Amino acid sequence: MSNDIEIPHLDSTTLQNLISYAVSFSAANGLQVQTKSSSTADSNTNSNTYITAPISLLPQSYPSHLFQRGISLSRPLNLLVEKISQDGEFLRETLKDVRTVDEYTGKLLDLYEAIYMKQDGEFARSADRLGILRSDYMLHSTVADGGKDQYELKQVELNTIASSFAGLASTVANLHRFLTQRMDDGGKLNLFLEENHQCVVRDARAENGVGVPESPAMSQLPLAMFLAHERYCQRFVKNDNDATATTRRPVVLFVVQPNETNTVDQRLLEFALWNNHQVPVVRMSLGELYNKAVLDETTGKFMIQSDNGADESSSEEVAVVYFRAGYAPTDYPSGYNAEDGSGIEWLARERLERSRATKCPCLGYHLAGTKKVQQELARPSVVERFFPEDDGDTSARTIRTVFAGLYSLGADATEQDINAVKDVLLNNAQDKYVLKPQREGGGYNYYGKNLADKIRENCTINEQTIELDPSLSEFILMERLFPPQQRAILLRNGQVEGSGMTISELGCFGTILATEDSEIVHNEYGGFLLRTKFSGVDEGGVASGFATLSSPYLC
Ligand code: ADP
Ligand code: MG
Ligand code: MG
């Protein structure tokens, strides 16, 4: 689509000016992604082409009090994940049907059991745990109050591995702050924003828009990694007999995908870690790690061979492992053979997990972020299991308020779950639900007719009873959320992709650091992300090409 489009309140000169500023701001501040063809199998390639990240030209109106609500849930949710990760029985019981039909989740659970529930994972059990989580929300329309929709904050999912866009989202917020403050030529932008403000119920305390907040992500995420790194050095390096003046500073290992295009987002973290804390980063894929990493079986020390030599002096100790890969079956291309344990990427993952390095995330955190766990948590008294005492902010009651309807399609399905299935199959209510497998990264969900077909093909309907095929147990059924629609201008590769009505998803980052004794060393809110996509697009995901990066204009 050309840049010649009609936008209410914005004449074409203003629009062109805004686009031109957005693109140059992006170049000047690394609001960029790599092009597909330029990212190669080598995780450290030099010949890269960078383009403007997919962005929404202007921010979306967001009710201030619901934004604050998302922020305030970060710390309780961090704690929840930490607690779940330590409850092997809960994870095993919750995922027992899933593991029989989904090999990937099954493998994660096998490793978790072997390392954390049996005797052969002593180094892993002694390691600290670092979480960089992102809880995603949509505003969901509830009762129409005198004709005007009311919205509440509902959780879409909780990401516990490779939660991305902390870096780029901070920059988008800076861009949007610049555009709305500096470029508000004669109030035209205000008119545009004002129209969007009408779509949401404003915070009574914020009569006029209060603008785009600053995201603390680029200080908070590196800080959490630094604290984990510090603790590792204090616990292990300072005490090692071989710690001499020549010992190199342990590194933070970024485990990355060979063909990653979202590299700038990762590099922003790497550079901030160095700038703020002088902590070095090494990037490697799981495949490379298989060839270049050694686990010392007597100490649990994890060492990687750097590229510039093969002798001991060129190897580096890993203090913290940060996974930006490993969350999808496709990250393990050599597969998994239970018989002989082959599959080099899984072997590399296992070696990392068994080490004494602090994992972000460890297997327990990773599993706590599965969609099946999310669904189980929504059952009566399950969050309460992890927060037995009602202690205000961290209480189960507070967390529960953001849960949407979640239903099991496994052997544990209750009458209520089956009623949701009946609603889809017998009442034609497929548009009120989303069907989700245990996958991450966007693009896997079923909607509408596909959803109904998928369930119908995998169940037997006898008069009033519905029998679900075991193959459905890797899915959960979720109430579909309907956020307010707002006008936006979406850019891809610096060009207008289109303008029209859009919906948005808020992400709130949280960071947590826990010790082997479950002492909480650090637990903080860590910044935000807003993703915006055209209303007609079911799926989300910026990297997967469905959504764009935006920011909330609080009002
Ligand atoms: P993933 O881990 O793949 O990101 P999500 O649960 O976030 O899985 O689903 C992907 C996208 O699908 C979301 O970003 C959102 O756009 C859409 N989506 C997921 N759940 C719902 C829901 N309950 N209602 C409406 N849209 C949803
Ligand atoms: Mg996810
Ligand atoms: Mg998601």
Side-chain angles (χ1 to χ4, degrees):
M1 182 180 282
S2 86
N3 284 346
D4 256 348
I5 50 166
E6 297 265 311
I7 316 277
H9 312 298
L10 299 180
D11 57 65
S12 75
T13 316
T14 308
L15 184 64
Q16 290 312 323
N17 205 13
L18 286 169
I19 294 170
S20 157
Y21 264 100
V23 170
S24 42
F25 188 99
S26 299
N29 294 281
L31 180 44
Q32 295 185 319
V33 292
Q34 258 179 263
T35 55
K36 271 231 156 47
S37 53
S38 78
S39 67
T40 70
D42 181 352
S43 50
N44 289 301
T45 183
N46 292 321
S47 58
N48 300 324
T49 307
Y50 297 92
I51 55 170
T52 306
I55 52 173
S56 174
L57 182 62
L58 294 166
Q60 266 57 58
S61 298
Y62 211 91
S64 187
H65 65 291
L66 293 180
F67 177 76
Q68 294 304 333
R69 182 159 191 73
I71 288 178
S72 71
L73 280 162
S74 301
R75 298 176 73 235
L77 288 170
N78 291 343
L79 268 186
L80 178 62
V81 168
E82 160 59 21
K83 286 167 188 265
I84 294 170
S85 80
Q86 298 309 294
D87 194 338
E89 284 310 323
F90 172 78
L91 286 171
R92 179 147 66 185
E93 184 60 24
T94 302
L95 296 167
K96 72 170 190 257
D97 293 338
V98 171
R99 78 189 307 173
T100 62
V101 281
D102 174 23
E103 191 183 38
Y104 172 77
T105 308
K107 174 69 180 167
L108 292 175
L109 195 54
D110 289 349
L111 284 179
Y112 177 88
E113 285 176 343
I115 297 174
Y116 294 98
M117 296 177 80
K118 296 188 183 136
Q119 283 318 303
D120 53 351
E122 68 176 296
F123 303 125
R125 284 196 301 272
S126 77
D128 289 343
R129 298 179 286 277
L130 175 64
I132 296 184
L133 318 179
R134 199 189 70 216
S135 181
D136 292 336
Y137 305 94
M138 280 177 170
L139 298 176
H140 181 50
S141 161
T142 53
V143 277
D145 177 16
K148 193 161 172 67
D149 277 354
Q150 295 283 318
Y151 290 96
E152 52 191 29
L153 195 71
K154 290 289 174 189
Q155 186 180 50
V156 172
E157 63 153 347
L158 178 55
N159 293 289
T160 58
I161 182 166
S163 313
S164 56
F165 293 115
L168 294 189
S170 305
T171 319
V172 176
N174 295 342
L175 164 69
H176 285 159
R177 216 172 309 107
F178 172 81
L179 292 180
T180 51
Q181 291 173 355
R182 163 77 179 83
M183 306 295 294
D184 191 13
D185 176 18
K188 289 174 195 155
L189 272 188
N190 237 335
L191 286 174
F192 178 90
L193 292 168
E194 186 57 35
E195 187 183 303
N196 277 343
H197 293 345
Q198 306 308 322
C199 305
V200 295
V201 176
R202 297 197 211 181
D203 189 335
R205 289 158 298 178
E207 266 296 294
N208 301 303
V210 292
V212 178
E214 245 175 89
S215 171
M218 289 323 285
S219 54
Q220 284 300 317
L221 269 55
L223 174 65
M225 288 182 177
F226 165 67
L227 293 175
H229 185 272
E230 275 278 289
R231 264 191 58 84
Y232 179 94
C233 293
Q234 270 160 17
R235 293 182 68 200
F236 299 117
V237 182
K238 298 219 167 102
N239 300 326
D240 267 5
N241 295 331
D242 62 357
T244 62
T246 58
T247 306
R248 285 206 266 166
R249 197 144 200 235
V251 300
V252 173
L253 171 66
F254 280 25
V255 181
V256 295
Q257 294 177 334
N259 299 307
E260 180 67 73
T261 53
N262 190 23
T263 52
V264 177
D265 185 55
Q266 301 172 349
R267 292 289 188 181
L268 286 168
L269 274 176
E270 172 178 351
F271 300 146
L273 252 178
W274 183 259
N275 271 333
N276 304 353
H277 308 289
Q278 287 72 56
V279 172
V281 165
V282 171
R283 296 163 57 85
M284 276 193 192
S285 68
L286 284 170
E288 285 173 289
L289 281 168
Y290 177 74
N291 293 314
K292 294 184 181 166
V294 188
L295 171 62
D296 183 330
E297 295 288 353
T298 57
T299 60
K301 182 155 67 163
F302 193 86
M303 302 291 293
I304 46 180
Q305 214 76 57
S306 39
D307 280 336
N308 46 3
D311 58 351
E312 165 71 11
S313 65
S314 69
S315 68
E316 294 177 298
E317 179 169 358
V318 174
V320 179
V321 187
Y322 174 53
F323 286 98
R324 291 294 290 256
Y327 57 83
T330 46
D331 289 337
Y332 303 83
S334 67
Y336 169 53
N337 184 337
E339 299 287 292
D340 63 7
S342 64
I344 61 165
E345 296 84 11
W346 278 115
L347 289 171
R349 175 90 188 254
E350 177 172 5
R351 212 184 283 163
L352 280 167
E353 192 74 30
R354 282 185 192 282
S355 79
R356 70 186 188 189
T358 302
K359 270 76 67 180
C360 178
C362 58
L363 282 166
Y365 280 32
H366 186 171
L367 288 168
T370 54
K371 304 207 161 57
K372 183 65 190 177
V373 165
Q374 180 189 8
Q375 172 254 301
E376 181 64 20
L377 287 170
R379 286 202 193 286
S381 66
V382 180
V383 204
E384 289 74 6
R385 167 183 177 139
F386 299 103
F387 293 104
E389 278 154 40
D390 194 332
D391 53 353
D393 238 14
T394 58
S395 72
R397 197 163 31 89
T398 315
I399 292 176
R400 205 170 265 296
T401 57
V402 290
F403 288 170
L406 287 148
Y407 310 97
S408 169
L409 300 179
D412 60 342
T414 60
E415 194 184 335
Q416 200 190 10
D417 298 327
I418 297 293
N419 283 342
V421 174
K422 284 184 180 163
D423 200 24
V424 170
L425 298 182
L426 310 177
N427 301 342
N428 264 331
Q430 60 266 21
D431 292 332
K432 283 165 50 189
Y433 299 89
V434 181
L435 180 66
K436 301 187 182 188
Q438 309 300 308
R439 288 287 80 86
E440 294 296 331
Y444 300 97
N445 297 342
Y446 291 74
Y447 300 85
K449 181 175 183 306
N450 293 338
L451 180 159
D453 288 349
K454 178 76 184 171
I455 298 183
R456 193 173 291 111
E457 285 157 17
N458 291 287
C459 72
T460 323
I461 309 175
N462 311 309
E463 306 208 343
Q464 276 315 297
T465 64
I466 289 183
E467 208 172 295
L468 302 168
D469 191 276
S471 65
L472 284 179
S473 51
E474 69 166 305
F475 292 89
I476 62 160
L477 191 61
M478 182 173 180
E479 173 191 9
R480 185 164 185 169
L481 305 172
F482 293 100
Q485 301 198 17
Q486 298 186 23
R487 188 174 298 283
I489 303 146
L490 306 189
L491 306 187
R492 247 171 242 285
N493 195 2
Q495 305 279 318
V496 176
E497 180 191 39
S499 144
M501 297 315 270
T502 61
I503 56 174
S504 295
E505 185 174 349
L506 175 72
C508 294
F509 289 94
T511 58
I512 185 164
L513 180 61
T515 70
E516 66 179 303
D517 305 318
S518 300
E519 187 199 330
I520 308 301
V521 177
H522 176 85
N523 180 16
E524 295 296 337
Y525 156 68
F528 62 83
L529 159 76
L530 194 79
R531 284 172 298 173
T532 296
K533 62 180 185 179
F534 287 121
S535 307
V537 180
D538 288 331
E539 273 298 331
V542 174
S544 44
F546 302 107
T548 62
L549 298 166
S550 187
S551 26
Y553 190 98
L554 301 184
C555 62

